Amino acid sequence: MLKLSQLFYSPQTTHQQAILSEEESRHCVKVLRMKKNDELHLTDGKGNLFLAKIAEPHHKKCVLDIVRTIEQTPAPLYHIHVAIAPTKNIDRIEWFVEKSVEFGIQQISFVQCNRSERKQVKLPRIQKIALSAMKQSLKFFMPQINEMVSFKSFMANLTPDETRYVAHLNEGERVFLKDVAQKHQKYCILIGPEGDFTPDEVTLALNNEFKAVSLGNSRLRTETAGIAACHLLNIVNE
Amino acid sequence: MLKLSQLFYSPQTTHQQAILSEEESRHCVKVLRMKKNDELHLTDGKGNLFLAKIAEPHHKKCVLDIVRTIEQTPAPLYHIHVAIAPTKNIDRIEWFVEKSVEFGIQQISFVQCNRSERKQVKLPRIQKIALSAMKQSLKFFMPQINEMVSFKSFMANLTPDETRYVAHLNEGERVFLKDVAQKHQKYCILIGPEGDFTPDEVTLALNNEFKAVSLGNSRLRTETAGIAACHLLNIVNE
């Protein structure tokens, strides 16, 4: 049985060796007091789980030798990208990150909208939460998490092959996401701030081939809408 | 536009009069400093929204006259009852309550399982969170929230007409809840503690006509499983 406390993460893992980050090194060498030649589990956040052995138990830069590959999880046939306006209360966004990683998410973008009250998001903290949720859910996939950008900048740098949705509460026709989302797509879904997108933002999204969608009959908070979209797109694909 | 701060709740509302609870009275009279004949919105938590007028602005027992019924939301054609083992960290259960009320839930039971670490849940605090989520999501339906009981006691007092599911991670066949849940039912779904149900608990549930279900491919925390079940059953009905 895989012990969660002994699951480590290093994105720069080759099939021979890996180096743990400062925080992971500290946890390994200082907290768990692991020694040279002790074995542990390691994921590269790209679907692979390795058995590794400590080569150099350095408390800031612990070096591991890969013993063998235990599991190679194939990447899912779909790709969920949630672009969300961070909430005023950062706990709510952190909760969204934790839950979406549990359900499965490939990319998270933070978008500063006109009505956003929050002007910054500390990425290292968000990444720490995503890492902890990845370990907890034994997913072995670490999502890409992007620095916050303005709504306009987000629109100017869209990924070409994503199927785009915008979940807004403004006037205008919307379809239920469950009824339009096809299996095995790359989805990008935009979730607005408390107080919703401005009409100009909705227009700009529609002009950029975003389809206006609803997430159901309930009036959801920003972070709940984010998790609902992520859960729904996972369900569509299961 | 309905101001959330001026939406009040009283379960004992007739079509003539209502009395606010001590906490709602204090909020109305002390915090918002509302006076005799001031108007406010009131829900009975049974789908009705009223316009009301303050008859006696008492700070512990504020009396309201109902002016007129603004909205009568029909009860949904389905009934979601989540019976969940409370988590060690109470924040996680509080979060489950908030989110499930946002999505829509009719009944919440707390069940003490063999592997539950938490032995009690403070109902007034849970009810306060549910109330706040109901107001926030403008749902006008307050779920029934039951005192924690033991797993055996829960099994001995099942509601006869509920379609029963148990989401466990033990060995044995399970079907995906999405594939078996029919529209317009009364559902009861059991969610286990961190560490899962014991095999004996699963057997007892199966003997009581609970169907073993999975909530998808992801390994979810207790509170995430609760919200996933609630969201999924709402989606099936939308």
Side-chain angles (χ1 to χ4, degrees):
Chain A
M1 180 69 188
L2 184 55
K3 278 193 204 162
L4 283 182
S5 64
Q6 290 170 20
L7 173 61
F8 291 86
Y9 165 66
S10 170
Q12 278 91 37
T13 302
T14 68
H15 282 256
Q16 284 84 44
Q17 222 174 42
I19 296 172
L20 296 182
S21 69
E22 197 168 324
E23 189 158 345
E24 295 271 284
S25 296
R26 197 188 65 80
H27 182 65
C28 178
V29 178
K30 291 275 180 186
V31 179
L32 298 178
R33 297 174 186 222
M34 295 184 86
K35 310 262 178 261
K36 189 176 162 91
N37 289 328
D38 279 356
E39 287 187 339
L40 52 77
H41 288 100
L42 178 79
T43 176
D44 56 3
K46 298 175 187 81
N48 299 304
L49 178 66
F50 304 100
L51 182 69
K53 200 164 72 173
I54 298 180
E56 292 172 39
H58 193 284
H59 69 288
K60 285 191 172 179
K61 206 180 158 184
C62 182
V63 181
L64 309 175
D65 286 334
I66 305 297
V67 179
R68 62 185 170 87
T69 304
I70 298 175
E71 208 176 306
Q72 288 182 295
T73 316
L77 298 168
Y78 54 99
H79 187 278
I80 301 175
H81 176 192
V82 175
I84 192 164
T87 50
K88 189 176 171 193
N89 175 347
I90 196 70
D91 290 355
R92 295 185 172 274
I93 274 300
E94 294 183 358
W95 167 82
F96 156 74
V97 170
E98 178 181 305
K99 296 314 169 199
S100 60
V101 171
E102 275 184 62
F103 285 128
I105 192 163
Q106 284 69 43
Q107 196 174 158
I108 297 173
S109 293
F110 296 112
V111 182
Q112 197 189 333
C113 296
N114 213 287
R115 293 186 187 142
S116 294
E117 286 199 58
R118 171 169 292 278
K119 307 293 178 208
Q120 61 164 3
V121 170
K122 287 179 186 156
L123 235 53
R125 164 113 186 128
I126 297 290
Q127 270 156 340
K128 200 172 156 180
I129 286 162
L131 175 57
S132 161
M134 178 190 73
K135 290 182 178 183
Q136 170 73 31
S137 61
L138 298 179
K139 275 210 130 50
F140 315 134
F141 282 102
M142 185 69 177
Q144 179 183 332
I145 303 178
N146 303 318
E147 285 282 1
M148 182 144 82
V149 294
S150 72
F151 188 87
K152 277 191 181 155
S153 162
F154 184 80
M155 285 295 155
N157 294 285
L158 293 165
T159 306
D161 59 346
E162 287 179 336
T163 306
R164 299 171 192 156
Y165 301 109
V166 56
H168 72 82
L169 304 169
N170 281 243
E171 306 243 310
E173 205 184 328
R174 277 167 299 153
V175 287
F176 188 17
L177 179 59
K178 184 182 78 163
D179 298 332
V180 287
Q182 303 285 314
K183 266 192 170 189
H184 303 169
Q185 303 279 306
K186 285 188 77 167
Y187 317 97
C188 172
I189 182 153
L190 257 175
I191 308 289
E194 290 123 335
D196 207 1
F197 296 108
T198 63
D200 282 357
E201 287 170 337
V202 173
T203 304
L204 185 54
L206 297 180
N207 289 345
N208 278 289
E209 296 174 13
F210 279 79
K211 190 185 271 286
V213 290
S214 129
L215 299 172
N217 298 326
S218 295
R219 181 179 187 272
L220 305 175
R221 283 174 171 273
T222 293
E223 75 281 6
T224 320
I227 204 67
C230 178
H231 185 222
L232 202 154
L233 291 172
N234 272 293
I235 286 175
V236 164
N237 281 282
E238 271 177 14
Chain B
M1 180 65 189
L2 182 56
K3 277 193 203 162
L4 283 182
S5 65
Q6 290 170 20
L7 173 60
F8 292 86
Y9 165 66
S10 170
Q12 279 88 39
T13 302
T14 69
H15 281 257
Q16 284 84 45
Q17 224 175 40
I19 297 173
L20 296 182
S21 68
E22 194 167 326
E23 188 156 347
E24 294 271 283
S25 296
R26 196 189 65 81
H27 182 65
C28 178
V29 178
K30 291 274 180 187
V31 180
L32 298 178
R33 296 173 187 223
M34 297 183 86
K35 310 261 178 263
K36 192 178 160 90
N37 290 328
D38 280 357
E39 288 187 338
L40 51 80
H41 289 100
L42 178 79
T43 176
D44 57 2
K46 299 175 185 80
N48 298 304
L49 178 67
F50 304 100
L51 183 67
K53 202 165 70 172
I54 298 179
E56 292 172 39
H58 193 283
H59 69 288
K60 286 191 171 180
K61 209 179 156 183
C62 182
V63 181
L64 309 175
D65 286 335
I66 304 298
V67 179
R68 62 183 170 86
T69 303
I70 298 175
E71 208 177 304
Q72 289 182 293
T73 316
L77 298 168
Y78 54 99
H79 186 278
I80 300 174
H81 174 191
V82 175
I84 192 165
T87 50
K88 188 175 170 192
N89 176 345
I90 196 71
D91 289 356
R92 295 186 173 274
I93 275 300
E94 293 183 359
W95 167 81
F96 155 74
V97 170
E98 177 181 306
K99 296 314 169 200
S100 59
V101 171
E102 275 184 61
F103 285 127
I105 192 162
Q106 284 69 43
Q107 196 174 158
I108 297 173
S109 294
F110 296 112
V111 182
Q112 198 190 330
C113 297
N114 212 287
R115 295 189 185 138
S116 293
E117 287 198 57
R118 170 169 293 278
K119 308 294 177 208
Q120 61 165 2
V121 169
K122 287 180 185 153
L123 234 54
R125 164 113 186 129
I126 296 290
Q127 269 154 343
K128 199 172 156 182
I129 287 163
L131 175 58
S132 159
M134 179 190 71
K135 289 182 178 183
Q136 170 74 30
S137 59
L138 298 178
K139 276 209 129 52
F140 314 133
F141 282 103
M142 184 71 177
Q144 180 184 330
I145 303 179
N146 303 320
E147 285 281 1
M148 184 145 82
V149 293
S150 71
F151 188 86
K152 277 190 181 155
S153 162
F154 185 79
M155 283 295 154
N157 294 285
L158 294 165
T159 306
D161 59 346
E162 287 180 336
T163 305
R164 298 170 191 157
Y165 301 109
V166 54
H168 73 82
L169 304 169
N170 281 243
E171 305 244 311
E173 206 185 329
R174 278 166 299 155
V175 287
F176 188 18
L177 179 59
K178 184 182 78 164
D179 297 332
V180 287
Q182 303 284 314
K183 266 192 172 191
H184 302 169
Q185 303 279 308
K186 286 187 78 168
Y187 317 96
C188 172
I189 182 155
L190 256 176
I191 307 288
E194 291 123 332
D196 207 2
F197 296 108
T198 61
D200 282 358
E201 286 170 339
V202 173
T203 304
L204 185 55
L206 297 180
N207 290 344
N208 277 289
E209 295 174 15
F210 279 80
K211 190 187 270 288
V213 291
S214 127
L215 298 171
N217 297 327
S218 295
R219 182 181 187 271
L220 305 175
R221 281 174 174 276
T222 293
E223 76 280 5
T224 319
I227 204 67
C230 178
H231 185 223
L232 202 153
L233 291 171
N234 273 294
I235 286 175
V236 164
N237 281 282
E238 272 178 12

